Amino acid sequence: MKDRTDIREEILRLREKRGAIILAHNYQPPEVQDIADLTGDSLELSRAAAVMEGEVIVFCGVDFMAETAAILSPEKTVLLPAEDACCPMAQMITAEELMLVKSRYPDAGVVCYVNTTAEVKAESDICCTSSNAIRVVNSVDQDQIIFVPDKNLARYAKRFTKKEILPWEGFCIVHDRITPEMVREARDAHPGAVLLVHPECRPEVIDLADHVASTSGIVRHVCSSEEHEFIIGTEVGILHRLARECKDKRCYPLSPEALCRNMKKTDLVKVRDALATLQPRITVPEEIASRARGAIERMLALP
Ligand code: 13P
Ligand code: SF4
């Protein structure tokens, strides 16, 4: 049986041979983050997928992320090592459901969170991520916006716009479980620590936070802050990057149970096998990709 060092070496050799880049989301297991060319949030990874050199992209994350890469770089081979890694929130709205809402509000603009299927993106005017949702909402011409699928991100963006937001009632099954009670317990355990939360958290949790940011936004904030202790209100995978990059800071999870099972389905063996076999490959039919690309590229074009 091969040990991790052997598998890591195999991955590096295959990466070279395939002309591949390995992208990992901030929630990926430590061993996967450590082998990646770039570990980041959804926006950083989308940008990288659009511009980075390489014939093959190994996307260590969940399905909508690999789909977004395949839409932006149809000429590249996009691999999702954990074939069944999905985002339950992205399954909470279908293109048909979105079309029905659009028919009820024909004058509204449509903003879709990147955590959606390619079909839903194809029915949207512009995409957003957790790090640019406010900017995207305010960039839309219409005063009324259908925002799908995350009700919590929609309500967070609503705090920073005069536009009318019509949220779809989807949510992240990991962040929506974080409660104000957990905040009180964490604050009692770590008095004086700064509380950072992800905008997928419920409004009543956001009300109690000191700062709200995307996953990489949280890392940037902790690393650049003059404070020393932080309570981190997002999926626990981010603690690895925080420990690696913000060595002089102490970070405590707001909820140690905030764990996205789908994000943990990738491991080194699956990354190696994906590079060896060029499978599982993610492709998006061009008639859907061409419309979805418009929504993603409009987001990427924003300053
Ligand atoms: P970020 O874009 O902030 O990394 O968030 C992605 C995600 O799925 C959060 O649950
Ligand atoms: Fe989806 Fe939530 Fe997992 Fe992010 S943490 S991938 S939103 S289920």
Side-chain angles (χ1 to χ4, degrees):
M1 182 138 152
K2 290 186 171 167
D3 70 14
R4 280 178 186 211
T5 316
D6 292 336
I7 297 174
R8 261 199 300 270
E9 277 166 14
E10 267 187 88
I11 291 173
L12 296 178
R13 202 162 23 79
L14 284 164
R15 185 182 64 175
E16 182 79 22
K17 177 176 155 195
R18 297 292 194 193
I21 56 161
I22 303 175
L23 303 179
H25 186 263
N26 286 322
Y27 297 158
Q28 285 290 294
E31 61 181 25
V32 176
Q33 293 192 30
D34 292 346
I35 199 90
D37 295 292
L38 175 73
T39 301
D41 67 10
S42 305
L43 184 62
E44 291 166 337
L45 296 176
S46 302
R47 284 198 195 286
V51 302
M52 271 173 97
E53 305 251 318
E55 287 153 41
V56 174
I57 299 175
V58 183
F59 215 117
C60 304
V62 292
D63 53 2
F64 75 83
M65 298 177 171
E67 263 189 8
T68 304
I71 291 165
L72 287 169
S73 302
E75 73 294 349
K76 289 182 184 158
T77 301
V78 178
L79 306 171
L80 180 67
E83 192 170 22
D84 58 341
C86 65
C87 170
M89 188 208 299
Q91 310 298 322
M92 290 181 188
I93 185 164
T94 63
E96 289 70 30
E97 286 169 323
L98 176 54
M99 282 153 75
L100 195 63
V101 187
K102 281 168 62 171
S103 69
R104 284 195 202 125
Y105 300 96
D107 297 329
V110 181
V111 175
C112 72
Y113 193 21
V114 70
N115 300 38
T116 42
T117 61
E119 288 81 0
V120 167
K121 289 184 179 78
E123 288 300 325
S124 302
D125 295 316
I126 187 165
C127 200
C128 77
T129 74
S130 65
S131 70
N132 62 14
I134 298 162
R135 221 176 326 139
V136 168
V137 160
N138 283 319
S139 77
V140 172
D141 288 338
Q142 292 90 332
D143 289 329
Q144 191 179 46
I145 294 173
I146 299 165
F147 190 109
V148 299
D150 187 4
K151 62 178 179 181
N152 290 331
L153 185 61
R155 287 174 187 137
Y156 177 65
K158 176 75 201 114
R159 297 175 188 227
F160 302 92
T161 184
K162 291 196 174 72
K163 293 176 190 283
E164 183 190 1
I165 307 272
L166 306 167
W168 187 256
E169 291 294 307
F171 57 90
C172 165
I173 57 169
V174 177
H175 290 85
D176 198 63
R177 282 202 195 119
I178 298 175
T179 62
E181 186 52 31
M182 291 174 185
V183 173
R184 276 187 281 277
E185 280 168 20
R187 289 236 194 244
D188 285 349
H190 309 291
V194 177
L195 173 63
L196 303 172
V197 306
H198 194 274
E200 286 175 13
C201 289
R202 295 185 201 177
E204 57 270 31
V205 170
I206 286 181
D207 285 342
L208 299 173
D210 298 308
H211 194 74
V212 181
S214 76
T215 53
S216 289
I218 289 175
V219 176
R220 280 192 293 275
H221 187 97
V222 170
C223 287
S224 63
S225 170
E226 288 179 358
E227 303 291 333
H228 290 284
E229 290 194 89
F230 302 86
I231 301 165
I232 306 297
T234 190
E235 209 271 353
V236 292
I238 194 74
L239 293 165
H240 179 65
R241 256 195 85 186
L242 288 165
R244 212 176 50 182
E245 293 177 30
C246 318
K247 289 198 170 57
D248 55 333
K249 309 291 164 79
R250 279 213 205 144
C251 295
Y252 315 103
L254 171 53
S255 162
E257 275 92 55
L259 194 139
C260 176
R261 287 179 192 284
N262 282 287
M263 282 285 183
K264 309 304 180 204
K265 288 182 177 171
T266 317
D267 60 25
L268 290 183
V269 172
K270 287 182 186 160
V271 174
R272 191 260 328 260
D273 292 351
L275 278 164
T277 61
L278 293 183
Q279 294 291 338
R281 185 171 176 184
I282 301 296
T283 54
V284 179
E286 187 50 29
E287 73 271 16
I288 295 166
S290 59
R291 289 187 293 134
R293 197 174 295 127
I296 303 166
E297 286 181 346
R298 278 189 280 280
M299 166 183 84
L300 295 178
L302 286 182

